Amino acid sequence: MKRVLLVIATLLSLTVLLAACKKSEDTISTPAASESTAAEAEATPAPTELPPYEANVLTGEPKGADYPEGQRITAVMVNNIVAARPQRGLSKADILFEIKVEGGITRFMPVFTDYKTIGEVGPVRSGRDQFFRLILPWQALYIHEGQSVVMQQYAIDYDYGKLNNNDGANGYRDYGRVNWAGKSYNNGTLALEHTMYTNSDNIANYISSQNVDMNRTYNSTFFNFVDYRLGTTRDLSNSLDSAYSDKYGPVVSDGQYIEIEHSQSYKTRFIYDESTNQYKMQQNYSDGQWRDTVDEAADNQVLTFPNVIVLYTDIHTYPGHEAKDLQYVEYAWGGIGYYCYGGKCEKIYWQKGTPLEALRLYYLNEDGTCSDTPLEINTGKSYVAVTDIDFAENFVHSTLDGVNLSTATTQTYERSYVEDDAKAGETLGSSTDDLTAAATGSGEAETVTEAPAQEAPAEEAPAAEETPTEEAPAETTENTEAPAENTENTENAAG
C-alpha cells in the first residue's frame, strides 16, 4: 500500500518538484538605474576583491597547508550493528552517512578528505549500493569488506575498477577487541565479522601496490557551503524561508533535540550544545539505553557535528532479493528533508536523480514547493541520514525543555537475515538500470551514463570474499526483550 500511495503522490507532484528544483540558466535582468542611483553608485567605494575560493570539498572550510590538493576523497563502510560498537575512526570523518540496510539495521559510511589522516577505522563491513551511489559522482575510493551482488553490479556497470576495494584495503582482524558489552572473539562471544579493521598505512599500501589512480580535481564542494571568505554564518532563524509555514508548522523551528528513526528498532539522536555550537550524537542499544556514539581510536571521543541533515525517501526491498532483504533506496525522485544547525531545524527539498548526479539541497518556496535556490550549508563536518519515508512522521525536533534524556524510547534489536556477499565474477544477469526500473516501479530507470575514463579507470571489479552463510535464528519481534547477551546469534547472521 505504501508503494502505491507513494507512486501516486510522486507522479502528481513530480512535474512541479522537478521544475521548481531545476537550476535556472536564464540571465537575470535588472531595470536601468536612474541618474541619482548611478551617482550614488559612483560614490560607493568598490568592494574589496576576495581571494580565490579554495575550500575543502567535504567541509567548505578553507584549505590548510596540508590539504591533499588533487587527491580523491575516500569512503569506508563501517559496521553499526550493536555488537560492532564502539567503532574506530569515525571522529576523523568529514561527512558521516547513516542509512538502513538489511534486517532494519543501519550502516555507516564515513567520508574522508585525506586517507593519510584516517588512522585506524572499522569494523569494516560490506559495500552497499545506497552508499555507493552518493559518492559515485565524486569518484571516491570506496573501501569495504565484501559487497552485495547489486553493489558488485554497480561497480561493473560504472567501470569502477580498483577504486572499488572489497577486502578492506588488505584489512586485518583484531581478534582481541572488546565491544561495549565486554564481548570478544577471543573469548567466543563476538562474531568474526565484527573484527575487521584497516588504517591509513594499509590503504596507502593498497594504492601503491595496485597503482590506483588517486588523482582527481574537484571543481565544486559536496554541499553548497556558505562562503568562508565572507566570515559569516547562516542563522537559520533568519533564513530565506524562515517566515514560511506549511500545514505542519513553520519551515524553520526548534532543533535543540533531534531524534531520527531508521527502522522499528534503530534510532539516532542529537543533543545541541550551545557552548560549542555542536550536536552530540547518541544511539539506542539492545539493553534499551541511549549511549554516546564514540570513537574508540580517539580515546572514546564523542562524535559531534555542527551540521545534521536528514533526507526522507522510499526505502524497500529489491524485487527478487527478499531472502536477503537487500534494500533499495530511491534517489531518482528527491523529496523532503531537514537541515539542522545552531539549535534550529529547517525543512528543505533534496534532489539527486541518476547515479552520476550529485546530491543537491534546496530552500522551500512560500507555497511549500521546492525552490530553485540552492540551500546554503554552514561550513564544518556533517552527519547525513537517508531515512525511510515510512518513519518521517516520527522525526522529532524540539527544544530540550521537557526532554528526559535518560529515558529510552526503543529497544534496539536485529531482525535475522543472511548477509549478501557476492562471489567473484557474480553478476545480476541484468544491468543496474533494469534493476532500478523494477525497484522503482515507474518504468523509467536511473539512466546509466558512461563515466569519463580519466575519472574511473575501466578495470575488472575485484573479487568479493565469500563468507560462509550461517543459519538465521527466528525473527525477533519489537515487543520481545532482546538483552545484549542473548542477541549474538542474530548478529552473526545479520553481520
Side-chain angles (χ1 to χ4, degrees):
M1 188 63 181
K2 175 189 79 171
R3 296 286 300 131
V4 174
L5 293 175
L6 182 68
V7 169
I8 293 173
T10 300
L11 292 175
L12 289 175
S13 62
L14 182 61
T15 302
V16 175
L17 180 64
L18 294 181
C21 287
K22 184 179 180 181
K23 295 181 181 179
S24 173
E25 301 296 334
D26 294 338
T27 302
I28 300 176
S29 60
T30 56
S34 64
E35 293 183 3
S36 60
T37 303
E40 290 173 6
E42 290 176 2
T44 302
T48 304
E49 185 176 348
L50 293 173
Y53 181 70
E54 297 180 350
N56 180 308
V57 67
L58 297 179
T59 68
E61 297 168 321
K63 297 176 180 177
D66 57 351
Y67 187 82
E69 193 66 56
Q71 178 181 286
R72 296 180 192 270
I73 59 178
T74 297
V76 183
M77 288 304 302
V78 173
N79 202 344
N80 189 40
I81 202 166
V82 176
R85 304 172 187 168
Q87 294 92 344
R88 301 173 188 170
L90 298 183
S91 67
K92 298 290 185 67
D94 293 310
I95 301 178
L96 179 66
F97 288 95
E98 182 175 9
I99 311 175
K100 183 175 70 170
V101 291
E102 304 92 295
I105 69 173
T106 64
R107 196 158 287 176
F108 287 142
M109 183 179 69
V111 186
F112 307 91
T113 301
D114 188 2
Y115 69 87
K116 303 182 194 71
T117 62
I118 293 174
E120 189 176 32
V121 61
V124 180
R125 208 61 182 104
S126 56
R128 293 292 179 268
D129 68 282
Q130 56 263 54
F131 294 92
F132 176 71
R133 285 184 283 155
L134 291 170
I135 58 168
L136 175 60
W138 303 89
Q139 298 290 284
L141 174 63
Y142 186 44
I143 297 172
H144 45 92
E145 182 202 6
Q147 57 191 340
S148 71
V149 66
V150 178
M151 174 60 232
Q152 184 154 291
Q153 189 67 51
Y154 264 99
I156 294 170
D157 286 359
Y158 285 90
D159 296 325
Y160 218 65
K162 292 178 180 177
L163 288 174
N164 181 50
N165 172 262
N166 66 358
D167 69 349
N170 301 313
Y172 51 88
R173 300 284 180 185
D174 183 354
Y175 299 109
R177 67 82 47 121
V178 179
N179 75 356
W180 68 277
K183 297 181 180 182
S184 170
Y185 179 81
N186 278 346
N187 63 28
T189 56
L190 187 66
L192 181 67
E193 57 262 33
H194 308 318
T195 63
M196 172 66 79
Y197 294 87
T198 193
N199 58 36
S200 293
D201 289 340
N202 283 53
I203 296 171
N205 288 338
Y206 166 75
I207 292 169
S208 176
S209 65
Q210 299 300 312
N211 195 27
V212 179
D213 179 12
M214 287 297 287
N215 296 316
R216 175 76 176 189
T217 299
Y218 295 109
N219 297 319
S220 61
T221 51
F222 198 96
F223 295 119
N224 178 42
F225 290 105
V226 172
D227 192 335
Y228 69 84
R229 299 172 299 177
L230 303 178
T232 59
T233 299
R234 187 166 77 84
D235 181 0
L236 270 59
S237 298
N238 297 318
S239 179
L240 293 177
D241 50 11
S242 59
Y244 302 160
S245 294
D246 59 20
K247 64 180 180 179
Y248 300 104
V251 169
V252 177
S253 54
D254 295 318
Q256 294 176 324
Y257 178 82
I258 303 167
E259 189 172 304
I260 306 161
E261 185 170 351
H262 304 279
S263 68
Q264 290 181 333
S265 68
Y266 264 62
K267 288 187 176 183
T268 305
R269 74 179 185 182
F270 292 86
I271 301 165
Y272 180 64
D273 183 348
E274 187 175 4
S275 66
T276 61
N277 194 33
Q278 298 274 334
Y279 283 97
K280 179 175 73 171
M281 182 176 178
Q282 294 186 332
Q283 292 180 285
N284 201 222
Y285 276 68
S286 53
D287 61 356
Q289 299 301 308
W290 289 100
R291 287 182 173 82
D292 293 340
T293 304
V294 301
D295 184 345
E296 188 178 41
D299 296 325
N300 290 316
Q301 174 184 335
V302 179
L303 300 193
T304 60
F305 302 88
N307 299 312
V308 174
I309 300 168
V310 186
L311 310 176
Y312 284 100
T313 190
D314 182 29
I315 302 178
H316 62 274
T317 306
Y318 270 111
H321 296 271
E322 289 81 6
K324 296 182 179 179
D325 195 31
L326 280 180
Q327 297 290 289
Y328 170 70
V329 176
E330 182 63 81
Y331 289 130
W333 303 113
I336 285 288
Y338 292 87
Y339 169 49
C340 302
Y341 178 89
K344 295 290 183 181
C345 282
E346 177 177 32
K347 187 178 290 186
I348 62 174
Y349 266 108
W350 66 271
Q351 286 283 302
K352 185 181 186 319
T354 67
L356 285 176
E357 289 183 278
L359 178 66
R360 306 176 300 281
L361 310 180
Y362 295 91
Y363 291 101
L364 265 63
N365 286 318
E366 188 171 4
D367 60 0
T369 59
C370 179
S371 76
D372 60 358
T373 305
L375 186 82
E376 283 191 304
I377 298 295
N378 285 306
T379 60
K381 296 185 176 185
S382 301
Y383 164 91
V384 182
V386 179
T387 308
D388 197 331
I389 192 68
D390 278 355
F391 301 101
E393 64 181 11
N394 299 333
F395 177 62
V396 177
H397 60 102
S398 66
T399 65
L400 283 169
D401 295 339
V403 177
N404 187 346
L405 297 177
S406 63
T407 300
T409 56
T410 302
Q411 181 175 336
T412 293
Y413 64 88
E414 285 82 41
R415 293 208 316 259
S416 60
Y417 70 96
V418 179
E419 177 81 5
D420 187 55
D421 197 6
K423 299 177 179 63
E426 183 179 0
T427 67
L428 286 171
S430 64
S431 69
T432 52
D433 191 52
D434 293 333
L435 183 66
T436 298
T440 303
S442 67
E444 294 182 8
E446 295 178 342
T447 303
V448 175
T449 305
E450 184 178 356
Q454 69 271 20
E455 296 178 0
E459 302 177 43
E460 184 178 354
E465 178 181 333
E466 184 175 359
T467 303
T469 300
E470 301 184 28
E471 184 178 353
E475 181 171 334
T476 307
T477 60
E478 185 174 8
N479 295 326
T480 301
E481 288 191 6
E485 64 270 22
N486 293 333
T487 59
E488 190 59 42
N489 288 336
T490 304
E491 289 161 356
N492 289 350

